[in-house]
Amino acid sequence: MKFLCIPCDHVMDFAERQLPGDGTLAAVFACPSCGREIAMLTNPMETQLVSSLGVKIGGREVPEQPLELVRSGLADGREDVFAEPMAAADESASALAGADARVSWTPDALERLDKVPRFVRGMVKRIYTDYAKEHGVRSVTVEVMDRARSDLGLEGM
Amino acid sequence: MRKIRTYNQVDPAAGRELLDQVLAQHKRLAERLASVGSVVAVMSGKGGVGKSALTANLAAALASAGFRVGALDADLNGPSLARMLGASRGRLVDRADGVEPARGAASVSVVSMELLQADEDAPLRWNASTGHGFVWQSAAETGALREFLSDVIWGELDFLLIDVPPGVDKVSRLLELLTPGRTLLVSTTSEMSRRIVARSARFAREAGLPNVSLVVNMSEHVCESCGHHSPLYASDGAEALARDTGLDVWARIPFEAALAESTDHGTPWVLASPNAPASVAIRSIAERLADERNAARAARAEAR
């Protein structure tokens, strides 16, 4: 899929993706020559089809997570199916967060993590932890989570 | 009319992000399967011929013979393999590089949609803010199968057995992801089974599937009291199937009610009753697979 700016005869660059939460998607492309922007708007069916392929329009901000499609797509995921390595007995957010000693979590951040369904909690926690490590952040706070959501384009996490 | 450059006329590097993501998925799949010795697909085209029970018992037979075995339930809408291997509520260990499969009977590694669903009896449902499932559902199911293959830490395996659901379209989905080294085409002796499995045999031939062989399940009834053998159907459709398709019959597995009873409750019959006629027949398939695997290993060693 390519977008061509006809007056400039330049291929447009991907600029931004927005998921308003109603199943639709807006992907913004900009011409590197004249700066003209266009938004590609997809309906829920088109958005669903693309996400069913396990790909993201405009590329990925975070690497594809193990079983990402199944975890994000399954309507009735089993809460206790995923066990943490060597910590299967306690999958509370505190236990999950404690698994990576290089990054700590504040109580507020843990509380928010605890609200994420257990079916996807491990995956979500890993995304935030990786974000913190990549940005040299030693402690994940609610603010760091908000920033990660915005920077990574995470919806509902 | 204005002349607008076509897709292939503009910079080939532009707009590749979707293609690159798909290529990355394929790369990950290839890397994961590189440590699998042999992929064996158990398919039929017909439902109710005992594919899942055969897969579970074959996996247990191979594992109890000392092989490292994985079992993947490709039947996303009617999963049963985890239960048949005694791992129905098994857990998957969540790691950054993938998830570790559940462990079933004889330490067979198993992954099935059944493990991931909260309600074991619920139909498979996807989160979707839209209907039109016919547009995207097939893509989602192929994607789920791809993840089961590429995101599960199968480790070094001698055999990865794949229980393929009924329907030629389901086989097509699997073939988009991999080509099995051996395919076992399961039929019963009924005329209806012959007709449907003949279609699958033709599909396999036209798709260029290598090493396809027939397994005749429920070939006859063996009386548990007196050992008398009696046919289940008036004509032997499987015999005609073998003749018409030219495929080798690898085994004829007699019907034993106890096999289904035991396997349905999580204990493969080859483990519960290793000397029963059906167990002996299933073990003979395992032995042929083992011979094939050993021959391939020897050939590779000689080539080095």
Side-chain angles (χ1 to χ4, degrees):
Chain A
M1 182 167 49
K2 299 173 187 178
F3 293 91
L4 189 70
C5 178
I6 297 175
C8 306
D9 197 30
H10 263 106
V11 178
M12 300 177 110
D13 294 332
F14 171 78
E16 185 185 356
R17 178 175 51 229
Q18 291 187 0
L19 293 161
D22 59 358
T24 66
L25 173 144
V28 178
F29 293 82
C31 174
S33 177
C34 69
R36 179 190 295 269
E37 288 186 317
I38 61 145
M40 181 186 74
L41 309 176
T42 63
N43 66 30
M45 183 187 71
E46 293 159 342
T47 310
Q48 185 78 37
L49 177 60
V50 173
S51 88
S52 296
L53 297 170
V55 297
K56 306 256 188 224
I57 289 176
R60 288 184 160 275
E61 291 85 0
V62 285
E64 192 171 349
Q65 297 293 310
L67 298 188
E68 180 180 305
L69 186 67
V70 171
R71 287 198 239 208
S72 59
L74 199 59
D76 68 333
R78 183 180 144 210
E79 284 278 288
D80 65 342
V81 63
F82 294 107
E84 279 284 299
M86 311 296 287
D90 179 8
E91 288 94 21
S92 66
S94 313
L96 290 174
D100 194 319
R102 285 170 294 177
V103 176
S104 64
W105 286 64
T106 63
D108 286 356
L110 284 176
E111 198 179 316
R112 185 189 283 187
L113 186 64
D114 245 340
K115 291 179 182 153
V116 175
R118 285 168 68 198
F119 188 60
V120 293
R121 192 181 296 159
M123 182 174 84
V124 171
K125 171 240 168 187
R126 197 161 44 238
I127 291 171
Y128 282 127
T129 305
D130 288 348
Y131 176 88
K133 278 191 272 187
E134 279 169 21
H135 290 78
V137 176
R138 298 183 68 89
S139 176
V140 177
T141 61
V142 169
E143 290 73 28
V144 169
M145 293 173 88
D146 285 338
R147 206 161 65 234
R149 280 175 65 176
S150 169
D151 287 356
L152 303 176
L154 306 174
E155 288 282 317
M157 291 186 185
Chain B
M1 192 169 73
R2 286 186 299 179
K3 183 157 176 56
I4 299 169
R5 285 192 293 163
T6 65
Y7 183 95
N8 289 317
Q9 288 170 337
V10 301
D11 181 5
R16 276 186 56 93
E17 66 270 8
L18 291 184
L19 180 61
D20 286 343
Q21 290 174 64
V22 172
L23 292 175
Q25 290 172 353
H26 284 277
K27 182 168 178 277
R28 209 165 59 242
L29 175 63
E31 286 169 355
R32 189 71 77 187
L33 294 183
S35 58
V36 175
S38 179
V39 175
V40 179
V42 181
M43 61 179 249
S44 169
K46 172 115 176 56
V49 296
K51 290 179 298 297
S52 301
L54 173 62
T55 308
N57 278 280
L58 196 50
L62 286 163
S64 60
F67 291 102
R68 295 160 298 182
V69 183
L72 191 159
D73 193 346
D75 194 344
L76 306 179
N77 289 282
S80 57
L81 202 52
R83 177 176 301 268
M84 288 181 171
L85 282 164
S88 62
R89 293 283 92 181
R91 303 183 75 189
L92 308 173
V93 177
D94 200 0
R95 295 185 180 278
D97 58 339
V99 297
E100 288 180 12
R103 296 281 170 192
S107 292
V108 171
S109 301
V110 59
V111 166
S112 168
M113 189 55 88
E114 182 191 357
L115 298 171
L116 291 143
Q117 288 182 280
D119 183 350
E120 296 169 73
D121 300 323
L124 179 62
R125 277 192 289 260
W126 297 98
N127 291 317
S129 55
T130 173
H132 306 99
F134 65 94
V135 174
W136 52 264
Q137 203 152 338
S138 174
E141 291 184 10
T142 304
L145 197 52
R146 172 182 56 78
E147 289 191 339
F148 282 179
L149 285 162
S150 64
D151 293 356
V152 171
I153 304 171
W154 292 105
E156 296 281 333
L157 289 183
D158 294 301
F159 295 99
L160 175 61
L161 272 54
I162 304 181
D163 180 18
V164 185
V168 167
D169 60 321
K170 307 295 195 302
V171 184
S172 300
R173 281 183 202 169
L174 181 66
L175 296 185
E176 284 170 24
L177 301 169
L178 56 79
T179 302
R182 165 64 59 186
T183 296
L184 301 175
L185 208 48
V186 186
S187 180
T188 68
T189 57
S190 80
E191 174 60 15
M192 192 54 72
S193 180
R194 181 196 71 74
R195 282 174 177 272
I196 295 170
V197 179
R199 286 170 186 256
S200 299
R202 181 169 168 178
F203 173 83
R205 192 174 63 246
E206 290 175 356
L209 268 182
N211 306 318
V212 181
S213 44
L214 285 175
V215 172
V216 184
N217 197 20
M218 299 181 262
S219 61
E220 59 184 352
H221 178 253
V222 181
C223 176
E224 286 168 27
S225 304
C226 68
H228 177 72
H229 293 224
S230 53
L232 288 172
Y233 298 94
S235 63
D236 188 346
E239 189 68 43
L241 182 65
R243 191 181 58 239
D244 296 346
T245 58
L247 295 175
D248 268 358
V249 176
W250 266 28
R252 287 177 164 271
I253 306 168
F255 173 80
E256 288 179 61
L259 182 150
E261 178 73 14
S262 177
T263 309
D264 286 355
H265 286 89
T267 306
W269 189 230
V270 293
L271 304 180
S273 187
N275 296 318
S279 297
V280 172
I282 291 167
R283 237 182 7 258
S284 75
I285 304 172
E287 284 160 10
R288 291 188 75 155
L289 288 172
D291 288 347
E292 204 168 64
R293 168 99 180 105
N294 292 335
R297 266 188 186 152
R300 267 202 305 277
E302 201 173 292
R304 277 189 207 122

